[in-house]
Amino acid sequence: MKTELGSLPAVCPMPVLIVSAYDKDGTVSIMNAAWGTISQMDKIVLMIDEDHKTTQSILGTKAFTVSLANRKNIVPADYVGIVSGNKVPDKFARSGLHASRSKHVNAPVVEEFPITMECELAEVVKTETMYAIVGRIVNVLADEEIVGENGKIDIGKADLLLFDQFSWSYNTIGEVAGKAGQAGKALKRSV
């Protein structure tokens, strides 16, 4: 039997995305955005409000980075999500995080996070019910210690944070349950 819970954002867990851009004076704008996803192999979509300082910075520079937050940096990752850059102008400095300039786009790379997508603004989608920033992923940076011998990211080593919208908490990625594209093959053969 199932229990009715009403209307909820029930896609769970969500990645903890740290979005960064330079504002008009070159200061780092940064925010925590839980509602984002990959669209196509080279696009990321962020469902964020138009009035965020970081959104306005992205619109100004036409570039941004999206980092995946990890357990080691949970305090600054949460801080940049609960404090508004519109109200706290030195939000990035207060976070204790550090940034360097991307080699590929006009945006900051936050050094503490293990994975960063460097993006160019591809499109803004504005409808009655949604505002979204679409970025074209130009390059991905990963800390050396999380890249396996095969040259791919080993997310088990990254200790990435996931946002649980049901309990309003952060979790981390657990053990591998199965291989995508492989787990269902037994059923496929029987058809």
Side-chain angles (χ1 to χ4, degrees), residues 18-24 26-31 53-59 61-65 106-108 110:
I18 306 300
V19 183
S20 305
Y22 289 122
D23 68 15
K24 60 186 170 201
T27 302
V28 176
S29 291
I30 188 169
M31 66 180 288
K53 183 175 182 189
T54 304
T55 304
Q56 292 304 308
S57 295
I58 291 168
L59 296 175
T61 61
K62 310 288 189 245
F64 59 99
T65 58
N106 181 24
V110 180

Side-chain angles (χ1 to χ4, degrees), residues 62-107:
K62 310 288 189 245
F64 59 99
T65 58
V66 179
S67 299
L68 302 179
N70 58 349
R71 182 193 311 246
K72 185 167 87 173
N73 295 292
I74 190 172
V75 171
D78 191 54
Y79 172 78
V80 301
I82 61 176
V83 173
S84 169
N86 288 323
K87 295 178 181 171
V88 180
D90 62 345
K91 174 179 164 178
F92 182 74
R94 288 184 185 203
S95 75
L97 297 169
H98 304 88
S100 60
R101 186 170 289 278
S102 164
K103 294 178 183 176
H104 300 278
V105 298
N106 181 24

